[in-house]
Amino acid sequence: MRGLLGFHLDTSTPHGGRPCCQGPAACVSLQKTAVILCLLLCSTSLSPTRGQTKIPLETVKLWADTFGRDLYNTVTKYSGSLLLQKKYKDVEPSLNIMEVDGLELVKKFSEDMEAMLRRKVEAVKNLVEAAEEADLNHEFNESLVFNYYNSVLINEKDENGDYVELGAEFVLESNAHFSNLMVNTSISSVQLPTNVYNKDPDILNGVYMSEALNPVFVENFQRDPTLTWQYFGSSTGFFRIYPGIKWTPDENGVIAFDCRNRGWYIQAATSPKDIVIVVDTSGSMKGLRMTIAKHTISTILDTLGENDFVNIIAYSDYIHYVEPCFKGTLVQADRDNREHFKQLVDELMVKGVGIVNPALTEAFQILKQFQEARQGSLCNQAIMLITDGAVEDYKPVFEKYNWPDRKIRVFTYLIGREVTFADRMKWIACNNKGYYTQISTLADAQENVMEYLHVLSRPMVINHDHDITWTEAYMDSKLLTSQAQNLMLLTTVAMPVFSKKNETRSHGILLGVVGSDVALRELMKLAPRYKLGVHGYAFLNTNNGYILSHPDLRPLYREGKKLKPKPNYNSVDLSEVEWEDQAETLRTAMINGETGSLSMDVKVPLDKGKRVLFLTNDYFFTDISDTPFSLGVVLSRGHGEYILLGNTSAEDGLHDLLHPDLTLASDWIYCITDIDPDHRKLGQLEAMVRFLTGQDPDLECDEELVREVLLDAVVTAPMEAYWTALALNASDESKQAVDMAFLGTRAGLLRSSLFVGSEKVSDKKFLTPEDEDSVFTMDHFPLWYRQAAEQPAGSFVFNLRSAEGPEGPSQPMVVTASTAVAVTVDKKTAIAAAVGVQMRLEFLQRTFWAATWQCSTVEEPCLESCQDSELDCFIIDNNGFILVSERPQEMGRFLGELDGALMTQLLSMGVFSQVTMYDYQAMCKPSGHHHSAARSLVSPLSALLTATRWLVNELLLLLLEWSAWGSWLADSGAEAKAVFHHSHKHKKQDALQPCDTEYPVFVHQTAVQETNGIIECGTCQKMFVMQQIPSSNLLLLVTDPTCDCSIFPPVLQEATEVKYNASVKCDRMRSQKLRRRPDSCHAFHPEENAQECGGTADTSASLPMLLLPLCAWVLPLQLLQ
């Protein structure tokens, strides 16, 4: 898997200036290395007190040669590799090998992607026009009564068997185009979050008006059947989605999804922004007020995206940055930084007296400095003031820093039910082009925070600028019925919808946002895998340098049995995947939207990082017009630069395609089957046959790829007869040797043949979609194919596989052996195919032990043998993993784990080299515990107080659910409950967190084919002999087991977290990488009505009812402080 991990030779400095010795773990490692080297260097001066076993070099070489010959004969016989090579050699005169023009290729891919994305934009524009026209013709009706399809209530019945209100019959059918979900493609349905009343007049009028979108949804889908979800997110909170679908609440019965805090909505509704959040942490904010303030900050952070910049300042009688490292600056509001801020805000404590002026002054200065330095968003700037009241004279601060231009908006959030300071807070907002709201409960936060987005959208709305917005990659969470394993990465194209009514022009009314999803997997299908060679790939990144799609982007991690999205999955930088680009030349060019190419020597990890290939890659890149995206294509030097072309008749090819053991890469697009509903049930092979026979003239197929498949089918067809003959003539002994033979071609064609019954196959997942590494996917060729392509001609690469099953890794182990088949025309060589066998490990062992009984070319009894107790023999691969040992429990393990002395000696002699690998997408357990986690151990009283705090939380939740909170409905209690549940989960201290890790990979230096030596181990000497096994990637090691070398520590292949000291960590967090700002900015408009700046919240709930929860929260908390 290309780029799974980044890595460096030990002598180099890691990417980004990461020092080699960071933290105690790394330094201890260096100290160990020094001790080991000292032991090795001193070995010549040590006098052995005991002689070592003599290991005859000639005998070991004979064993290696004999084993190699026997192994080669077996794998060539059963794989039929020589026959396949001959068949391709026979057709060489009719073949043509063309050099790939990478620049033309990336331009062609880009044009195809641009055309696809343009169709999505046209669909969204149609929806915008329809929505604005419908609003223009709609008159608001306060008493409107209207039934609509509520996504939660559809098909629901009451106890009498009647459909509930808003829950009429709604036909749902499974649809493959929509991930086999139950949908209705003739009409849309409407979803509302729990805290939005489904019969509110604003909701009913909006839903009624947006009914006009239904025919447009259907027409768009008919015109472009590749469209997926289309939707309209209303500024009032409802979400109309097509096709219609039933929405399922979470386990608490809550619908938490609110379209207005989704990235696509926020980015389309507003221009980029610089935000400084100023929060009051004085003593008066104690208890529930601070809880609401924290939730308000979290909600504001959720409205920010990667084009925005942010910082948070807390104040009481002094000011402090919640992240001291970010003092005096703004940082990009990517997912990493937002989550980091949330954790820090969660830890804020209240104390002292609140003095707001220094905090406001600091916020204004930061924003001014950023604007003058041409940093940040260079668009909207705003201060969010969160407090329960302000008493001092703050007017001089605004006069000095913001008046008369008022280029920095100030939004004020009054926390709590107290209205004494309401007029002052509103004055601040109204005199700085902002908005004032009062937040009295947790449930208030969402609606009130959203008001600032409407203010920021006014200039764009008044101008009627319909900017097209493309989001960063994200995982589909609209459909709560989806399982984590099925979640796919998407980007959304979105456009704002405005009110065109003249009477509301100066108000700048945003009606909502329309959008449509684009599955990035579908977009990447326009860069066909077969055109990129064995190791090639394509990738996309955004204007911010973040990965949109890359074969090595790993967005999910496993926690127990569940797959979960990583917290930073959509803010992985290009430099963290293509780490070899240390000067960031590639990153800079792609962010700037340039077209060009460059070359890099790269180290490509394979097999989950256990192995590595050394390649020279050519990178070709260009932008995708009218989007913030850039496309890169990578081709490896040598065979990766060429494509093999041939021709054969459809009749011949068809005959050889129709074989039960022949399959095609299921992820590759040979024929387009996902547009026409009649074609969706067709597999790729079936579709190709219908295309070739003319049964379905409407089918569109990739004719170049089809020609390649036909040629490969004809050339590889004799292999089936060859393998069948072997199976028929197989003896009982041979049936215990090889389970199956297989081959794959560069066109994604796979053939396989069993030599045993299917129930006796050792590894049943091999060559199935369950084992992605063994089959062709959109991202990569099979592992056995990629390894074989880099082996010398005629040589086999052997890999030990653990056939894990329900019983665990104790299942029998199997070995795959594969070799590449190359074709040379006009001195140009291309890889046509790879062929191999899956053999049983027992056979490999038997063959090896048989070879070691031979001691010379003359028949005579052996004086030494690997079966003797005085010799220890191993077969290891070129990465140091043991395939054969006298002790079964050692097989599959790394040699250094078992014999640190021997591995250390091989490294010091240059037989193996060590490469340190870095993974910038790792997940680690937190190194230290949170201060509150240990607090309960201090005393029984602390434990009691902690339990009391929990009890108070639960009591508050109960009160929230049962109290009549003014005009709020009872289900706002469920919203609050969800918030609390979320915060409790958020505080789990054992949760994995994103981190950087390093670990070594060991590689045999092929120039060293044989060596021997003596290791001084204190009181004894350990002799060893190493011999290359011909025509393979295997090595024979023979050692003396009688000498105890445990003074040498084991050499491990373990991942360790890279620790950064505080200074380096801060520098990395503050660093502002190159990015390309969005083209448009709408910060102000002269016709904007700035006097619409909020008002006092409704306080209709009774005073005792309001005070009861507050007392229940505050009084016990005073005991807990």
Side-chain angles (χ1 to χ4, degrees):
M1 215 160 88
R2 164 74 195 89
L4 172 68
L5 303 151
F7 31 155
H8 304 264
L9 295 176
D10 288 345
T11 54
S12 70
T13 301
H15 171 68
R18 297 178 170 119
C20 292
C21 180
Q22 284 286 355
C27 294
V28 169
S29 176
L30 286 175
Q31 290 167 2
K32 285 183 179 179
T33 304
V35 171
I36 292 167
L37 288 174
C38 183
L39 286 167
L40 290 170
L41 291 171
C42 296
S43 63
T44 53
S45 61
L46 294 173
S47 301
T49 58
R50 190 155 54 98
Q52 73 278 357
T53 303
K54 186 177 185 324
I55 303 175
L57 305 184
E58 300 81 3
T59 302
V60 174
K61 185 174 188 333
L62 180 63
W63 291 347
D65 290 344
T66 304
F67 177 58
R69 183 185 64 247
D70 294 345
L71 197 56
Y72 180 78
N73 289 340
T74 300
V75 294
T76 52
K77 173 184 175 182
Y78 283 95
S79 69
S81 59
L82 299 180
L83 173 62
L84 186 60
Q85 183 73 64
K86 180 180 181 304
K87 291 300 177 183
Y88 273 103
K89 189 78 175 171
D90 290 344
V91 297
E92 266 184 16
S94 65
L95 299 179
N96 184 23
I97 294 180
M98 289 182 58
E99 188 168 352
V100 179
D101 186 333
L103 216 48
E104 287 302 311
L105 196 64
V106 76
K107 288 177 182 176
K108 174 67 168 61
F109 291 168
S110 172
E111 289 169 4
D112 292 345
M113 290 181 180
E114 180 193 340
M116 176 187 177
L117 298 179
R118 194 186 305 120
R119 293 196 300 271
K120 315 303 178 191
V121 171
E122 289 302 318
V124 166
K125 284 181 177 178
N126 294 338
L127 292 169
V128 170
E129 291 172 6
E132 291 183 347
E133 189 65 24
D135 175 70
L136 191 60
N137 297 324
H138 176 71
E139 298 245 352
F140 187 86
N141 180 357
E142 184 73 33
S143 57
L144 177 67
V145 177
F146 172 66
N147 286 326
Y148 58 91
Y149 289 112
N150 184 301
S151 291
V152 176
L153 301 176
I154 52 175
N155 297 331
E156 294 290 325
K157 294 184 179 182
D158 59 22
E159 60 274 11
N160 298 321
D162 300 321
Y163 287 108
V164 300
E165 195 173 10
L166 302 182
E169 183 180 5
F170 194 77
V171 178
L172 295 170
E173 295 176 342
S174 177
N175 192 309
H177 186 65
F178 294 94
S179 305
N180 292 314
L181 292 170
M182 302 294 289
V183 298
N184 186 324
T185 54
S186 62
I187 196 168
S188 62
S189 59
V190 176
Q191 174 268 346
L192 296 98
T194 297
N195 63 327
V196 175
Y197 181 36
N198 58 26
K199 285 190 176 181
D200 183 279
D202 287 334
I203 295 294
L204 287 175
N205 278 269
V207 172
Y208 180 81
M209 177 274 293
S210 64
E211 286 282 300
L213 297 180
N214 275 320
V216 185
F217 285 139
V218 175
E219 288 167 16
N220 279 342
F221 189 44
Q222 289 173 345
R223 192 180 301 113
D224 179 9
T226 66
L227 279 172
T228 56
W229 304 100
Q230 304 172 67
Y231 39 84
F232 169 64
S234 168
S235 60
T236 58
F238 74 82
F239 179 65
R240 182 178 287 279
I241 183 169
Y242 173 88
I245 188 167
K246 185 167 177 59
W247 210 282
T248 307
D250 66 16
E251 65 272 14
N252 299 311
V254 173
I255 300 291
F257 177 88
D258 189 325
C259 63
R260 296 168 298 176
N261 62 14
R262 308 306 296 169
W264 52 267
Y265 184 99
I266 294 160
Q267 290 177 46
T270 64
S271 296
K273 47 201 170 290
D274 299 334
I275 300 287
V276 178
I277 301 172
V278 178
V279 58
D280 184 353
T281 56
S282 64
S284 64
M285 291 286 288
K286 186 183 294 186
L288 181 58
R289 288 184 180 181
M290 197 64 220
T291 302
I292 294 172
K294 290 176 179 180
H295 181 51
T296 301
I297 295 172
S298 180
T299 306
I300 293 172
L301 289 171
D302 285 338
T303 67
L304 304 180
E306 60 183 37
N307 290 318
D308 304 320
F309 288 77
V310 67
N311 204 340
I312 304 177
I313 298 173
Y315 74 91
S316 53
D317 42 14
Y318 66 96
I319 66 170
H320 73 277
Y321 289 82
V322 296
E323 172 51 82
C325 175
F326 295 160
K327 183 177 181 179
T329 191
L330 298 174
V331 295
Q332 199 169 1
D334 58 31
R335 185 180 290 261
D336 255 351
N337 286 332
R338 295 198 306 267
E339 292 302 315
H340 182 59
F341 274 129
K342 286 179 184 180
Q343 291 177 7
L344 295 171
V345 165
D346 202 43
E347 298 168 3
L348 285 176
M349 306 293 286
V350 296
K351 186 180 181 182
V353 179
I355 304 175
V356 71
N357 281 3
L360 286 174
T361 300
E362 184 77 7
F364 276 118
Q365 287 176 345
I366 294 173
L367 293 170
K368 292 274 188 186
Q369 289 167 9
F370 247 59
Q371 187 73 17
E372 290 166 2
R374 308 295 296 166
Q375 293 180 305
S377 69
L378 295 182
C379 195
N380 289 291
Q381 291 195 313
I383 294 171
M384 309 296 206
L385 177 60
I386 301 170
T387 179
D388 62 349
V391 294
E392 71 259 46
D393 182 13
Y394 30 75
K395 186 175 179 181
V397 177
F398 301 127
E399 288 176 338
K400 180 177 181 179
Y401 291 103
N402 206 34
W403 294 351
D405 295 334
R406 293 172 169 83
K407 289 187 175 179
I408 298 174
R409 298 181 189 266
V410 181
F411 296 88
T412 55
Y413 301 89
L414 182 62
I415 303 299
R417 288 283 176 177
E418 179 61 56
V419 295
T420 306
F421 299 102
D423 289 343
R424 297 187 184 190
M425 298 299 286
K426 184 174 180 179
W427 183 92
I428 293 174
C430 294
N431 284 278
N432 291 279
K433 292 188 175 181
Y435 199 90
Y436 156 76
T437 61
Q438 184 167 3
I439 303 178
S440 309
T441 70
L442 289 164
D444 290 345
Q446 179 74 37
E447 289 293 323
N448 286 316
V449 165
M450 288 296 155
E451 293 293 347
Y452 98 85
L453 295 176
H454 300 153
V455 174
L456 292 186
S457 69
R458 282 177 191 162
M460 177 174 62
V461 177
I462 296 170
N463 260 346
H464 282 191
D465 289 320
H466 290 95
D467 293 337
I468 299 165
T469 301
W470 290 95
T471 68
E472 70 276 13
Y474 71 98
M475 286 192 182
D476 186 5
S477 62
K478 289 190 299 296
L479 307 175
L480 303 182
T481 52
S482 297
Q483 299 299 312
Q485 288 86 340
N486 298 327
L487 288 176
M488 64 177 73
L489 286 173
L490 308 169
T491 182
T492 291
V493 56
M495 288 177 69
V497 180
F498 312 136
S499 172
K500 288 184 174 181
K501 295 175 180 176
N502 288 329
E503 61 269 26
T504 59
R505 176 176 169 81
S506 65
H507 299 269
I509 296 176
L510 175 75
L511 299 176
V513 173
V514 297
S516 182
D517 292 343
V518 179
L520 291 170
R521 187 176 181 82
E522 296 303 310
L523 189 61
M524 295 309 291
K525 286 179 179 178
L526 298 177
R529 191 67 192 76
Y530 76 95
K531 289 180 179 284
L532 305 177
V534 180
H535 304 299
Y537 56 94
F539 63 94
L540 289 166
N541 67 280
T542 70
N543 58 301
N544 287 296
Y546 295 146
I547 293 295
L548 195 70
S549 177
H550 195 291
D552 305 323
L553 179 65
R554 308 192 312 277
L556 300 175
Y557 74 102
R558 188 171 293 280
E559 193 170 73
K561 294 183 178 180
K562 291 185 178 179
L563 285 174
K564 295 184 176 181
K566 295 177 181 175
N568 60 339
Y569 75 88
N570 64 354
S571 57
V572 176
D573 196 83
L574 180 62
S575 61
E576 294 176 321
V577 179
E578 298 291 346
W579 65 267
E580 293 90 346
D581 179 31
Q582 295 193 28
E584 298 197 351
T585 309
L586 174 66
R587 185 184 186 278
T588 301
M590 293 189 71
I591 285 176
N592 289 334
E594 297 174 15
T595 298
S597 64
L598 60 84
S599 298
M600 285 192 286
D601 291 327
V602 297
K603 304 174 185 70
V604 182
L606 295 176
D607 201 6
K608 298 179 175 61
K610 292 193 294 186
R611 313 180 192 284
V612 60
L613 295 178
F614 298 88
L615 303 173
T616 299
N617 281 348
D618 291 321
Y619 291 76
F620 303 93
F621 47 85
T622 190
D623 70 326
I624 300 177
S625 299
D626 301 321
T627 75
F629 309 143
S630 289
L631 172 67
V633 163
V634 181
L635 302 174
S636 60
R637 287 273 176 91
H639 55 77
E641 299 175 292
Y642 302 111
I643 189 165
L644 181 64
L645 302 174
N647 213 346
T648 189
S649 70
E651 291 77 17
D652 290 343
L654 267 172
H655 176 268
D656 293 323
L657 269 177
L658 300 174
H659 193 282
D661 291 325
L662 183 148
T663 60
L664 297 178
S666 58
D667 283 351
W668 292 17
I669 306 300
Y670 300 85
C671 297
I672 299 172
T673 59
D674 62 346
I675 294 180
D676 188 330
D678 292 334
H679 295 157
R680 287 180 189 148
K681 61 181 181 296
L682 300 177
Q684 287 294 320
L685 184 55
E686 186 182 356
M688 191 190 300
V689 170
R690 291 171 70 90
F691 170 74
L692 291 170
T693 55
Q695 293 179 47
D696 197 332
D698 294 331
L699 265 172
E700 291 182 44
C701 296
D702 185 330
E703 295 190 18
E704 182 182 332
L705 181 54
V706 169
R707 281 197 302 270
E708 291 189 22
V709 171
L710 290 176
L711 173 69
D712 289 344
V714 171
V715 175
T716 61
M719 300 298 292
E720 299 285 359
Y722 175 84
W723 289 333
T724 301
L726 277 179
L728 291 173
N729 297 322
S731 63
D732 290 340
E733 185 178 339
S734 64
K735 285 182 180 178
Q736 297 175 12
V738 178
D739 282 356
M740 73 165 72
F742 55 86
L743 67 84
T745 75
R746 87 279 187 219
L749 180 149
L750 268 175
R751 288 188 190 271
S752 62
S753 183
L754 296 180
F755 297 122
V756 296
S758 57
E759 73 285 352
K760 294 183 178 179
V761 174
S762 304
D763 186 356
K764 294 180 174 61
K765 290 184 180 179
F766 187 64
L767 300 184
T768 70
E770 287 183 84
D771 181 10
E772 281 198 350
D773 281 348
S774 70
V775 295
F776 292 93
T777 70
M778 272 185 61
D779 293 335
H780 55 71
F781 275 51
L783 175 63
W784 48 267
Y785 197 121
R786 299 181 72 188
Q787 286 185 282
E790 300 308 310
Q791 279 289 109
S795 176
F796 280 81
V797 60
F798 291 81
N799 242 354
L800 184 64
R801 294 170 50 86
S802 177
E804 297 187 7
E807 296 82 9
S810 60
Q811 290 284 294
M813 289 184 174
V814 296
V815 177
T816 58
S818 57
T819 187
V821 176
V823 173
T824 302
V825 177
D826 298 332
K827 299 182 179 178
K828 292 181 286 192
T829 300
I831 302 294
V835 62
V837 294
Q838 182 189 107
M839 64 175 66
R840 302 190 180 193
L841 187 56
E842 297 91 332
F843 167 74
L844 199 70
Q845 292 172 292
R846 288 199 310 273
T847 306
F848 173 65
W849 300 131
T852 62
W853 284 113
Q854 189 171 351
C855 301
S856 69
T857 53
V858 182
E859 291 292 334
E860 57 184 38
C862 289
L863 299 177
E864 297 91 8
S865 167
C866 283
Q867 305 287 355
D868 296 340
S869 59
E870 293 187 354
L871 291 182
D872 222 347
C873 300
F874 301 97
I875 297 294
I876 65 172
D877 66 20
N878 57 321
N879 296 113
F881 290 94
I882 300 171
L883 277 78
V884 176
S885 167
E886 294 174 69
R887 295 165 291 280
Q889 69 273 19
E890 294 178 350
M891 292 185 291
R893 295 174 64 185
F894 178 61
L895 176 68
E897 285 182 56
L898 306 171
D899 196 331
L902 179 55
M903 196 70 215
T904 301
Q905 183 74 5
L906 293 174
L907 286 166
S908 69
M909 295 171 67
V911 179
F912 275 82
S913 65
Q914 178 178 325
V915 179
T916 300
M917 306 165 64
Y918 287 82
D919 179 6
Y920 302 126
Q921 300 179 64
M923 297 291 289
C924 303
K925 288 185 178 179
S927 53
H929 292 287
H930 194 277
H931 65 273
S932 65
R935 189 171 153 196
S936 60
L937 301 176
V938 174
S939 69
L941 177 61
S942 295
L944 178 62
L945 292 177
T946 302
T948 306
R949 184 188 292 270
W950 173 84
L951 197 59
V952 169
N953 282 347
E954 295 301 311
L955 177 61
L956 174 63
L957 291 177
L958 184 66
L959 289 165
L960 280 170
E961 288 184 23
W962 289 96
S963 296
W965 284 96
S967 60
W968 289 99
L969 298 174
D971 55 12
S972 57
E975 168 76 9
K977 188 170 183 178
V979 170
F980 271 102
H981 278 288
H982 173 76
S983 67
H984 292 327
K985 289 178 183 177
H986 186 65
K987 292 178 181 179
K988 284 187 178 179
Q989 296 304 310
D990 56 351
L992 297 177
Q993 297 176 355
C995 62
D996 297 343
T997 60
E998 64 177 10
Y999 72 82
V1001 168
F1002 301 89
V1003 182
H1004 172 238
Q1005 299 302 296
T1006 53
V1008 184
Q1009 297 190 6
E1010 56 184 25
T1011 190
N1012 63 86
I1014 296 173
I1015 307 169
E1016 296 290 348
C1017 298
T1019 60
C1020 63
Q1021 293 178 321
K1022 181 181 184 117
M1023 184 178 181
F1024 71 91
V1025 177
M1026 186 221 79
Q1027 186 72 45
Q1028 170 87 47
I1029 294 172
S1031 303
S1032 76
N1033 66 325
L1034 303 179
L1035 304 169
L1036 168 59
L1037 276 173
V1038 182
T1039 69
D1040 169 16
T1042 60
C1043 180
D1044 180 10
C1045 287
S1046 56
I1047 59 170
F1048 286 85
V1051 178
L1052 303 176
Q1053 206 182 22
E1054 289 183 348
T1056 56
E1057 184 176 356
V1058 178
K1059 299 287 187 180
Y1060 304 109
N1061 63 40
S1063 174
V1064 172
K1065 186 175 182 179
C1066 182
D1067 288 344
R1068 281 165 49 80
M1069 292 170 70
R1070 287 176 63 98
S1071 65
Q1072 301 282 341
K1073 281 183 174 286
L1074 175 72
R1075 55 185 292 275
R1076 186 172 85 238
R1077 293 178 179 85
D1079 296 330
S1080 62
C1081 170
H1082 308 282
F1084 295 98
H1085 194 284
E1087 297 179 29
E1088 180 183 342
N1089 182 0
Q1091 293 311 304
E1092 281 202 3
C1093 49
T1096 307
D1098 177 28
T1099 56
S1100 60
S1102 66
L1103 184 62
M1105 192 60 81
L1106 294 175
L1107 291 177
L1108 181 60
L1110 192 61
C1111 295
W1113 172 265
V1114 174
L1115 293 177
L1117 283 182
Q1118 289 177 337
L1119 297 172
L1120 295 172
Q1121 297 303 319

